[in-house]
Amino acid sequence: TPVWVYDEGPEVFVDGRIVHDDPLVVETSRGLLEGVSEELVYKALTFGFGACDACQLADLSDPCLLLNLEKRYCSQEPGGVYTWVGPILTAVNPYKRLPIYGADSMQSFKMAKTSVQSSPHPYAVAAQAFRQMMRNKTKQGILVSGESGAGKTETAKYVMQYLAANSGDGVEKRVLGTNPILEGFGNAKTIWNDNSSRFGKLLRLHFDQGHLSGASVQTYLLARSRVTHVPAQERNYHAFYLLCNGLDVSDPLRESLRVKPCEFFNYLRSPVQHDGQLYQADADFLTQLRGAFASLGVAPEQEQDIFR
């Protein structure tokens, strides 16, 4: 009988076949596995993989779900990084930009009446929440979770982007402007993620007759220990490097804050240098951050006080 067997190696599950039932013996590419627990052996399926909704599979066992995600991810479909599991959207981080976001993409999700009619996408989740809010006149919640590097920060941005698109009077720009500020002061480069959020956040979007009218953010559990101790091959919070590496030589902030290169500060030096890959160039990030301050009405004097 063809089966999948749990394996502690990188493949997680390996192909095999049962050659003896009692005691259970499974033949795999790694050799014979004797006395295997039945809980670690799953019936192998050979059809249906690549489904945009995993609930369409004949079996929802762990190996079936993982293989379906792999088939979707490895397909030529740009949206293959996303898969439905019923009402839950799963994402496999592609670690690159994909041409599946923006105004044209948003419009197609606005036309759908339910998420079932939509291809898997963060916009589809946001659209369904918006429809439910308007139809039932009740608050909606979207939970974005996953391990470090899974893509939570970017996914949350796309959800906000969709919900903020239906706004006026510059509200969208101000709401989305919170992202570079939160990332600049609360995110850092880690071994697993070049833009890892080192805190949790609860973002509340406020709507008035279907139009975004404002937002509020509650943050919690900031990893303060990183300020005074940078782990090997990682960086401190982005903001420190934006000032040290991103300020123009003629910028008044450089003199008023007595900015020096990162090497002068023990708090910014890691015991082992990181790989050099950054979420984006420090100078570009600083430009975004200061633009976000301006969009939120932060005066230059206030900005200087924040950096100080």
Side-chain angles (χ1 to χ4, degrees), residues 73 78 81-82 91-98 100-101 149-151 154:
Y73 183 82
V81 296
Y82 297 115
V92 180
N93 196 337
Y95 291 99
K96 63 181 179 181
R97 300 291 179 183
L98 298 175
I100 57 175
Y101 311 102
E154 295 300 316

Side-chain angles (χ1 to χ4, degrees), residues 247 249-259:
L247 278 177
V249 291
S250 60
D251 195 303
L253 273 181
R254 179 174 290 277
E255 181 177 353
S256 62
L257 298 181
R258 300 179 181 179
V259 174

Side-chain angles (χ1 to χ4, degrees), residues 29 57 77 104 107 118 140 159 172 174 196 211 228 268 303:
S29 58
L57 299 175
E77 182 182 353
D104 293 340
Q107 190 59 36
S118 304
Q140 302 294 309
V159 170
E172 175 185 6
R174 292 197 294 271
S196 180
H211 294 275
T228 58
L268 303 185
E303 177 186 297

Side-chain angles (χ1 to χ4, degrees), residues 84-218:
W84 291 119
V85 183
I88 300 172
L89 179 69
T90 60
V92 180
N93 196 337
Y95 291 99
K96 63 181 179 181
R97 300 291 179 183
L98 298 175
I100 57 175
Y101 311 102
D104 293 340
S105 180
M106 287 184 199
Q107 190 59 36
S108 66
F109 289 99
K110 289 180 180 179
M111 300 297 292
K113 295 182 179 179
T114 65
S115 60
V116 177
Q117 298 176 350
S118 304
S119 56
H121 195 289
Y123 289 167
V125 176
Q128 178 69 358
F130 184 81
R131 283 191 295 266
Q132 294 278 44
M133 179 187 69
M134 297 301 295
R135 182 185 302 125
N136 302 327
K137 307 300 180 183
T138 57
K139 297 178 182 180
Q140 302 294 309
I142 299 174
L143 175 65
V144 183
S145 65
E147 63 181 8
S148 181
K152 299 184 295 298
T153 299
E154 295 300 316
T155 298
K157 285 183 190 176
Y158 294 130
V159 170
M160 288 177 59
Q161 186 183 71
Y162 181 93
L163 294 173
N166 193 26
S167 60
D169 300 325
V171 175
E172 175 185 6
K173 185 177 181 180
R174 292 197 294 271
V175 170
L176 296 181
T178 62
N179 284 321
I181 296 174
L182 291 172
E183 291 178 19
F185 291 93
N187 289 21
K189 175 182 173 61
T190 67
I191 294 177
W192 300 104
N193 186 356
D194 293 339
N195 189 36
S196 180
S197 299
R198 310 317 299 163
F199 68 103
K201 66 180 177 182
L202 174 63
L203 174 66
R204 294 184 176 93
L205 300 180
H206 307 285
F207 290 84
D208 182 11
Q209 297 182 353
H211 294 275
L212 182 66
S213 59
S216 59
V217 180
Q218 178 181 346

Side-chain angles (χ1 to χ4, degrees), residues 227 230 236 240-241 243-245 257-270:
V227 175
V230 182
N236 211 317
F240 297 119
Y241 303 92
L243 283 176
C244 293
N245 301 334
L257 298 181
R258 300 179 181 179
V259 174
K260 296 181 180 180
C262 297
E263 294 75 19
F264 281 82
F265 304 98
N266 290 331
Y267 286 172
L268 303 185
R269 291 203 301 262
S270 171

Side-chain angles (χ1 to χ4, degrees), residues 252-304:
L253 273 181
R254 179 174 290 277
E255 181 177 353
S256 62
L257 298 181
R258 300 179 181 179
V259 174
K260 296 181 180 180
C262 297
E263 294 75 19
F264 281 82
F265 304 98
N266 290 331
Y267 286 172
L268 303 185
R269 291 203 301 262
S270 171
V272 180
Q273 184 64 20
H274 61 79
D275 58 14
Q277 294 184 353
L278 300 177
Y279 170 61
Q280 59 179 314
D282 290 323
D284 295 339
F285 201 155
L286 180 62
T287 300
Q288 286 188 16
L289 178 60
R290 300 180 86 171
F293 278 143
S295 70
L296 293 174
V298 177
E301 297 78 12
Q302 293 175 300
E303 177 186 297
Q304 180 169 322

